[in-house]
Amino acid sequence: MTNFTRRTALAVAFSATAALAVPGTALAQEKPTLRLSSVVSDNDIRAEAFAKIAESVSDTFDMQVFNGATLVAQGTEMTAIQRGNLEMGLIAPQTIAEQIPEWSIVTSAYLFSDAAHLDATFDSDVGKQLTDMAEEAGIHVLAPVYFGARQVNLAPDIEVKTPEDLNGITMRMPGGDAWQFLGEAIGANPTPLAYAEVYTALQTGAIDGQDNPLPNDYNMKFYEVTSQIVLTSHLIGFDVLAISAELWNELSAEQQETLQTAVDEAIAESTQRHLDREAELVQFFKDEGLKVYEPDQDAFREYAQQKYLESEFAASWPDGMLDAINALAE
């Protein structure tokens, strides 16, 4: 039984008690409306997962999915839920960390080794500690949603085995202090640049490289203007599927179980589809003539974690949490 399931069971017991105290509530009589806001495009694997969830719970909820940030702006999903303006959201962990500094640990380089390690962490006591913090802030975590490992994509034909090999390499990273530090933590010289401008910048030599999950490299055709992909897997990309904690606690036991089960099944399928797609793309990029190889992962991980521990970002990390998460990968 996962921690998500255990938390559901606890919430179920609470809701059952509440239902006895307040019989015939509106939620028990009507289909609650669940509006889910996400930034993903409609043809994204995750969008398909959300559609599957909505279909699975259609007898219990009126679930409406709004992709492409068409309902609320990207980065505002958490505050919209807290203010009662939104029921569900796909929230970046960086957004959660803005309100809950302890969450910055899950945005750091080389914390998770892969998607299985991500899931294991959220199914552990560490995960419960993190989700309890989120609950106190007004959001109930339903699941971490994996969308790919970030890899280094370079134009120069150099060999990268350790972080020192990226010294002097101008690496496009998303804007923001946390993202720029991520670039430093893998040894590169980071620079902010709009996503839409990356292709041209690589083509003209304005930047030496960029980092993204492999599906992004494919969709943006970065392979046309680069020579190699270094499988650093320096950040396991995920967002958090969450619902209003207040609303969650008002749902009946059956409603909670229906929603959590649908989420668990759809997100597990989504994760596997992402992993399969990443494996396919490794061969695709090789067929396109790119060098695709793994560097010394241990060297990168040791370098990155030390950089973080020496930085201000680690000041808010709960004592022992890094070691506990590292141990879950063993």
Side-chain angles (χ1 to χ4, degrees), residues 26-329:
L27 285 177
Q29 297 171 354
E30 303 173 359
K31 282 187 183 181
T33 297
L34 302 179
R35 294 169 301 159
L36 167 61
S37 179
S38 90
V39 71
V40 307
S41 64
D42 286 330
N43 61 356
D44 191 286
I45 292 173
R46 290 164 292 175
E48 295 178 22
F50 301 152
K52 181 177 181 179
I53 295 169
E55 181 180 359
S56 297
V57 303
S58 59
D59 288 342
T60 305
F61 299 98
D62 175 18
M63 183 170 173
Q64 304 166 13
V65 180
F66 297 85
N67 295 315
T70 55
L71 186 59
V72 302
Q74 182 178 9
T76 67
E77 301 91 354
M78 184 171 178
T79 53
I81 290 174
Q82 291 168 323
R83 293 171 180 172
N85 298 327
L86 181 68
E87 291 77 37
M88 294 178 67
L90 186 67
I91 308 173
Q94 289 84 358
T95 299
I96 299 176
E98 291 174 2
Q99 291 194 35
I100 309 173
E102 292 87 347
W103 267 71
S104 68
I105 192 171
V106 300
T107 71
S108 63
Y110 288 102
L111 181 71
F112 304 119
S113 56
D114 52 28
H117 187 197
L118 168 68
D119 287 340
T121 298
F122 273 86
D123 283 343
S124 71
D125 290 339
V126 170
K128 186 178 187 306
Q129 187 176 351
L130 290 167
T131 55
D132 282 351
M133 294 177 195
E135 196 90 19
E136 292 177 5
I139 60 171
H140 176 84
V141 175
L142 292 168
V145 182
Y146 174 81
F147 61 82
R150 294 183 82 93
Q151 316 290 4
V152 168
N153 179 209
L154 299 174
D157 186 13
I158 61 174
E159 184 177 27
V160 177
K161 289 298 184 182
T162 68
E164 288 75 16
D165 295 325
L166 290 177
N167 184 30
I169 293 294
T170 302
M171 181 83 65
R172 177 269 173 182
M173 301 293 295
D177 292 343
W179 284 110
Q180 293 298 296
F181 189 80
L182 175 63
E184 294 178 20
I186 60 173
N189 178 27
T191 186
L193 186 68
Y195 191 44
E197 299 175 14
V198 174
Y199 184 99
T200 301
L202 287 167
Q203 189 176 42
T204 61
I207 59 174
D208 298 315
Q210 61 88 34
D211 84 315
N212 261 297
L214 297 184
N216 296 34
D217 295 339
Y218 174 82
N219 294 337
M220 297 298 288
K221 298 186 176 181
F222 294 146
Y223 58 89
E224 295 180 345
V225 288
T226 54
S227 70
Q228 63 175 306
I229 294 176
V230 188
L231 298 175
T232 50
S233 298
H234 52 274
L235 188 69
I236 299 302
F238 78 99
D239 290 319
V240 172
L241 183 60
I243 186 172
S244 160
E246 180 179 3
L247 174 58
W248 174 261
N249 289 326
E250 290 177 353
L251 297 179
S252 70
E254 293 76 15
Q255 288 170 326
Q256 290 178 343
E257 182 178 7
T258 295
L259 181 57
Q260 188 67 61
T261 298
V263 167
D264 290 345
E265 293 177 354
I267 298 307
E269 180 181 340
S270 171
T271 296
Q272 189 57 54
R273 289 183 63 190
H274 276 95
L275 293 172
D276 292 344
R277 181 59 174 155
E278 288 176 292
E280 292 170 359
L281 286 174
V282 166
Q283 188 59 51
F284 172 83
F285 292 133
K286 288 181 178 179
D287 292 343
E288 288 294 310
L290 275 69
K291 293 193 300 184
V292 183
Y293 59 95
E294 288 189 5
D296 184 339
Q297 291 278 3
D298 290 338
F300 268 93
R301 181 174 294 105
E302 181 179 353
Y303 182 89
Q305 290 198 349
Q306 188 60 38
K307 289 280 286 187
Y308 274 95
L309 288 173
E310 294 172 353
S311 76
E312 61 183 18
F313 292 96
S316 61
W317 295 359
D319 290 342
M321 183 171 282
L322 177 61
D323 291 338
I325 294 175
N326 285 339
L328 290 169

